[in-house]
Amino acid sequence: MSDLDDSYRLARRLTRRSARNFYFSFLTLPRDLRRDMCVLYAYMRQTDDLGDDESLPIGERRSLLHAWEQAVRNSLAGRPSSDTHQPEVASQSLPGTALLPALADIVRKHAIPRQSLFDVIDGVRGDLQPRRFATFAELEAYCHLVAGAVGVCCIHIWGFDREQPAALQQAIDTGTAFQLTNILRDLGEDLDRGRLYLPIEDLIRFGLTEQSLRSSLGTTPFRELMAFQVQRAREFYQRGWGLSSTLDRRGRRILSAMFQLYGGLLNRIEANDYDVFTKRIRLSLPRKLFIAGKCMLPWSGR
């Protein structure tokens, strides 16, 4: 096997092991595009893992992310990925570099904008310190980095009408919708880690504080806050849905699957009376398989 073949195999293994919702949507794609999406997901996962490894000091994680960024730049430029010029990480093997041959291959094949890949690194780098957002405008800018940029990469793999000027913004809005869903689902876990992704201005609007969020579960102010966030997310889903008309048929299938998977999580949050603290909000395996299967039917994606 060549290094490139091994790189694609590694990406597939990493994706199957950790992608959860994403992997079920990948099943709607033909084999070649599914393989390429696994590479994109594995890149995003590796980037996120470098920033989230709490067994390492923040300074070391920052150095690893910088070395990772340099390795990605080198690989995309056809230079050895090991040429990071990072003395502080020279004593250890930089994780994830085996993914880079496949990443460079899909970037070349699909003309994926390179800046979108680096935007994700910037977003993860910003997460190294405890997160707070004073306004929704600040949160939306963050969502652009960690999710909207992913949407831009995705549509280049799926295929889209590049003459449609709204397509890129619709991809960003779709990524933002998914990220807002994740923020609501993970509210309790993020608080445990010292992170809060809800805008402070929204807490103030509903008479809550970061410290009172957990104890406010079930109260009218908490329900109103969460209902407001759910509605905002749905507005981004609505904005993003226009993307479907710009995609190739294969892209419309996976977009439909993703909308049903993430929209299903949003519906579950609402149906669970916004209790995101006492149990994990998730879709069942049969439900995920049903959505993937339905989106693979011949008439889907037309």
Side-chain angles (χ1 to χ4, degrees), residues 51-86:
D52 273 352
D53 187 356
E54 295 181 351
S55 68
L56 300 176
I58 289 177
E60 190 169 344
R61 281 182 269 164
R62 193 180 304 279
S63 295
L64 284 169
L65 282 169
H66 184 68
W68 176 240
E69 180 177 356
Q70 283 195 302
V72 173
R73 291 186 185 278
N74 289 338
S75 181
L76 296 181
R79 299 189 297 268
S81 61
S82 58
D83 183 18
T84 66
H85 305 292
Q86 280 289 98

Side-chain angles (χ1 to χ4, degrees), residues 217-218 222-223 268-275:
L217 177 64
F222 183 81
R223 288 192 181 98
R268 285 288 177 88
I269 291 170
E270 193 173 46
N272 203 44
D273 198 24
Y274 309 112
D275 182 1

Side-chain angles (χ1 to χ4, degrees), residues 18-66:
S18 60
R20 297 190 180 95
N21 292 322
F22 271 122
Y23 188 73
F24 287 92
S25 66
F26 294 176
L27 297 176
T28 65
L29 291 171
R31 186 182 300 272
D32 59 332
L33 295 189
R34 189 187 316 158
R35 183 184 73 159
D36 294 350
M37 281 298 296
C38 285
V39 174
L40 180 63
Y41 175 85
Y43 167 75
M44 303 300 175
R45 178 76 271 157
Q46 178 59 37
T47 302
D48 200 44
D49 286 348
L50 287 173
D52 273 352
D53 187 356
E54 295 181 351
S55 68
L56 300 176
I58 289 177
E60 190 169 344
R61 281 182 269 164
R62 193 180 304 279
S63 295
L64 284 169
L65 282 169
H66 184 68

Side-chain angles (χ1 to χ4, degrees), residues 28-199:
T28 65
L29 291 171
R31 186 182 300 272
D32 59 332
L33 295 189
R34 189 187 316 158
R35 183 184 73 159
D36 294 350
M37 281 298 296
C38 285
V39 174
L40 180 63
Y41 175 85
Y43 167 75
M44 303 300 175
R45 178 76 271 157
Q46 178 59 37
T47 302
D48 200 44
D49 286 348
L50 287 173
D52 273 352
D53 187 356
E54 295 181 351
S55 68
L56 300 176
I58 289 177
E60 190 169 344
R61 281 182 269 164
R62 193 180 304 279
S63 295
L64 284 169
L65 282 169
H66 184 68
W68 176 240
E69 180 177 356
Q70 283 195 302
V72 173
R73 291 186 185 278
N74 289 338
S75 181
L76 296 181
R79 299 189 297 268
S81 61
S82 58
D83 183 18
T84 66
H85 305 292
Q86 280 289 98
E88 58 266 46
V89 297
S91 63
Q92 58 184 295
S93 175
L94 179 64
T97 53
L99 294 169
L100 296 182
L103 179 69
D105 193 48
I106 68 166
V107 168
R108 175 193 56 77
K109 183 165 42 177
H110 299 291
I112 295 172
R114 299 181 180 193
Q115 185 56 47
S116 293
L117 298 173
F118 300 122
D119 283 347
V120 174
I121 297 177
D122 285 341
V124 171
R125 186 181 288 120
D127 266 336
L128 291 176
Q129 300 291 345
R131 274 289 189 181
R132 299 295 182 275
F133 300 91
T135 66
F136 179 69
E138 293 179 6
L139 175 60
E140 187 176 7
Y142 166 77
C143 289
H144 184 153
L145 293 177
V146 299
V150 180
V152 170
C153 294
C154 286
I155 65 172
H156 281 79
I157 294 176
W158 303 344
F160 71 105
D161 183 354
R162 302 189 184 214
E163 299 300 318
Q164 292 290 334
L168 293 178
Q169 185 57 53
Q170 289 167 337
I172 292 168
D173 288 340
T174 297
T176 299
F178 296 162
Q179 186 66 19
L180 293 176
T181 301
N182 286 340
I183 286 170
L184 294 178
R185 180 196 61 190
D186 298 338
L187 179 59
E189 295 175 20
D190 287 333
L191 286 173
D192 290 341
R193 301 174 68 186
R195 297 175 178 175
L196 175 65
Y197 292 90
L198 299 183

Side-chain angles (χ1 to χ4, degrees), residues 202-271:
D202 292 347
L203 270 63
I204 294 172
R205 175 178 179 174
F206 293 99
L208 297 169
T209 66
E210 178 179 347
Q211 293 72 29
S212 71
L213 276 173
R214 284 188 184 277
S215 60
S216 299
L217 177 64
T219 66
T220 297
F222 183 81
R223 288 192 181 98
E224 290 178 345
L225 168 70
M226 293 294 284
F228 178 78
Q229 305 301 325
V230 167
Q231 180 57 35
R232 174 183 278 157
R234 286 195 172 125
E235 289 172 3
F236 276 91
Y237 278 96
Q238 185 64 34
R239 293 184 204 176
W241 183 243
L243 177 63
S244 181
S245 64
T246 75
L247 296 176
D248 294 350
R249 177 176 55 84
R250 299 175 298 182
R252 290 196 293 272
R253 288 180 175 179
I254 187 171
L255 182 68
S256 177
M258 286 185 169
F259 264 72
Q260 291 180 63
L261 289 165
Y262 279 87
L265 289 173
L266 202 62
N267 291 339
R268 285 288 177 88
I269 291 170
E270 193 173 46

